[in-house]
Amino acid sequence: MKKLIFTMFILSIFSKTVFSLDTNSLKYMPLQVGNYWVYTGYTSIFGGGTSYWTEKFSVVFTRSINNHIYYYLNSGNNDLFKGYYRIDSTTGTLYKYDSTGSCQNYHNEILIDSLAAISGDSIRNCNSGSYCCTGTSDFTIFGITSTKKSFNYVFYYFPFTIMYDKIFIKNLGFYNYSSSSTGGGGGGACSLTLKGCKINGIVYGDTSMTKINQINKELPNDFSLSQNYPNPFNPTTSIKYQVESRKLIKLVVYDILGKEVAVLVNEKLQPGTYETQFPNYYGVTGNQLPSGVYFYSLFADGERMDTKKMLMIK
């Protein structure tokens, strides 16, 4: 009888230690409805050319699937965090729901990151390659000192080798993603970095989607896009546009081949007159873009309202 009681006591301690709520790991990706994150990013394309944009991830609602509570994360231009996500409370593992069951290692889920990992830990996800935690360290951002946890991943997809790093910040969530790829006669790179967020009702950093200056709040008669000034320009130019009603406004710059260079605006705006600069946009300067003809288009709720041409001369 004493042996049975002792065994039950040991099992009780073990269960509380191994299967208790991993609250520390949960803090590396605070999933709560109303939380959101705003990022700046760029992509370097094979054969030349770089595209710049801003990105916003928002926790919109929750849903119960297969006896798990998932948080739906919505984003505009990037699917890095778009879909249903949960953090396993016993292992600290971040999963994404996958209705197709494409990953043989997990049942209707894809392992995204093991937030409880320590330096040197490796995890198994759905692809071939090595994926490991490279450690934690102190990190200061938005005037507060926290802890960052870094991951490194190498993936082989013939003839390409893809390498990327990801960083999570305790109490703030996903911070940075940077990748590079080689093979097939070329290479490319992509990066996404947090510039602001709203966590549990508190705003950190800069959560504005774009560098927009509203110069007039009077109600315009129609949507309109003005010719940039100066034109030709070097190194920057200003673009004015009028918004007639509250809609999702998107202002996009393309090169002469029609490739997207930058998304200057991608958010709902109140009626008024606005001004945005190009290419002095989140650290991008004219020195990073070649001379030549560029086009910029104004969209309202997905409908192209107008397109104009501009010229950069160095």
Side-chain angles (χ1 to χ4, degrees):
M1 183 66 180
K2 291 182 179 179
K3 184 177 181 179
L4 176 60
I5 294 175
F6 178 76
T7 302
M8 292 178 66
F9 175 72
I10 294 298
L11 289 175
S12 174
I13 295 176
F14 179 78
S15 64
K16 289 180 180 179
T17 303
V18 178
F19 299 106
S20 60
L21 181 66
D22 189 353
T23 55
N24 189 58
S25 298
L26 297 179
K27 293 178 181 178
Y28 281 95
M29 191 62 190
L31 295 177
Q32 178 174 303
V33 174
N35 288 356
Y36 64 81
W37 300 261
V38 179
Y39 301 84
T40 58
Y42 74 86
T43 300
S44 297
I45 308 168
F46 287 161
T50 302
S51 176
Y52 302 89
W53 76 93
T54 56
E55 182 65 82
K56 183 178 182 178
F57 303 143
S58 304
V59 184
V60 184
F61 57 85
T62 62
R63 180 182 175 185
S64 178
I65 308 174
N66 296 337
N67 297 319
H68 294 299
I69 299 298
Y70 289 87
Y71 294 82
Y72 184 78
L73 271 68
N74 185 47
S75 62
N77 302 323
N78 191 290
D79 62 356
L80 181 61
F81 280 108
K82 186 170 186 178
Y84 294 94
Y85 294 82
R86 74 177 182 94
I87 299 178
D88 190 289
S89 59
T90 59
T91 65
T93 304
L94 178 63
Y95 291 103
K96 179 180 180 180
Y97 175 67
D98 176 26
S99 61
T100 65
S102 62
C103 183
Q104 297 179 356
N105 302 327
Y106 307 96
H107 177 64
N108 289 126
E109 289 186 315
I110 298 173
L111 189 152
I112 303 299
D113 290 290
S114 180
L115 300 180
I118 61 175
S119 181
D121 284 352
S122 60
I123 59 176
R124 183 182 183 188
N125 56 14
C126 303
N127 298 315
S128 62
S130 59
Y131 187 46
C132 68
C133 175
T134 55
T136 59
S137 60
D138 291 339
F139 189 76
T140 300
I141 182 174
F142 308 139
I144 61 175
T145 299
S146 186
T147 304
K148 71 175 182 178
K149 182 167 293 190
S150 305
F151 296 87
N152 175 261
Y153 182 56
V154 180
F155 172 63
Y156 304 99
Y157 185 78
F158 184 81
F160 301 103
T161 299
I162 301 172
M163 299 158 287
Y164 66 76
D165 297 288
K166 293 169 70 174
I167 297 175
F168 290 84
I169 304 297
K170 189 176 180 180
N171 299 319
L172 295 180
F174 173 68
Y175 169 69
N176 173 265
Y177 169 95
S178 58
S179 71
S180 62
S181 59
T182 58
C190 179
S191 178
L192 203 63
T193 302
L194 180 70
K195 77 182 191 77
C197 57
K198 182 179 180 181
I199 306 296
N200 302 331
I202 301 176
V203 175
Y204 301 91
D206 179 12
T207 59
S208 63
M209 286 293 291
T210 53
K211 288 184 176 178
I212 300 173
N213 179 27
Q214 185 172 8
I215 59 179
N216 195 326
K217 294 184 179 180
E218 294 183 4
L219 182 64
N221 295 324
D222 199 357
F223 290 92
S224 66
L225 180 63
S226 300
Q227 185 65 52
N228 65 297
Y229 180 83
N231 188 40
F233 66 93
N234 179 21
T236 62
T237 187
S238 297
I239 301 175
K240 291 183 180 180
Y241 47 98
Q242 291 186 331
V243 178
E244 180 189 28
S245 60
R246 179 174 169 81
K247 289 187 176 181
L248 177 61
I249 301 301
K250 195 170 184 179
L251 183 61
V252 186
V253 178
Y254 304 92
D255 64 16
I256 190 66
L257 300 177
K259 294 181 179 179
E260 185 178 290
V261 173
V263 178
L264 301 182
V265 182
N266 187 21
E267 61 183 285
K268 285 190 175 182
L269 299 180
Q270 298 289 346
T273 303
Y274 296 84
E275 183 179 59
T276 300
Q277 280 199 323
F278 173 80
N280 188 19
Y281 175 67
Y282 290 129
V284 180
T285 67
N287 294 331
Q288 297 171 278
L289 296 171
S291 299
V293 174
Y294 292 86
F295 297 90
Y296 57 101
S297 297
L298 180 70
F299 297 84
D301 281 353
E303 179 183 357
R304 189 190 298 266
M305 310 304 296
D306 197 3
T307 297
K308 292 190 181 296
K309 182 173 67 173
M310 57 184 172
L311 178 64
M312 172 185 276
I313 299 179
K314 293 184 178 181

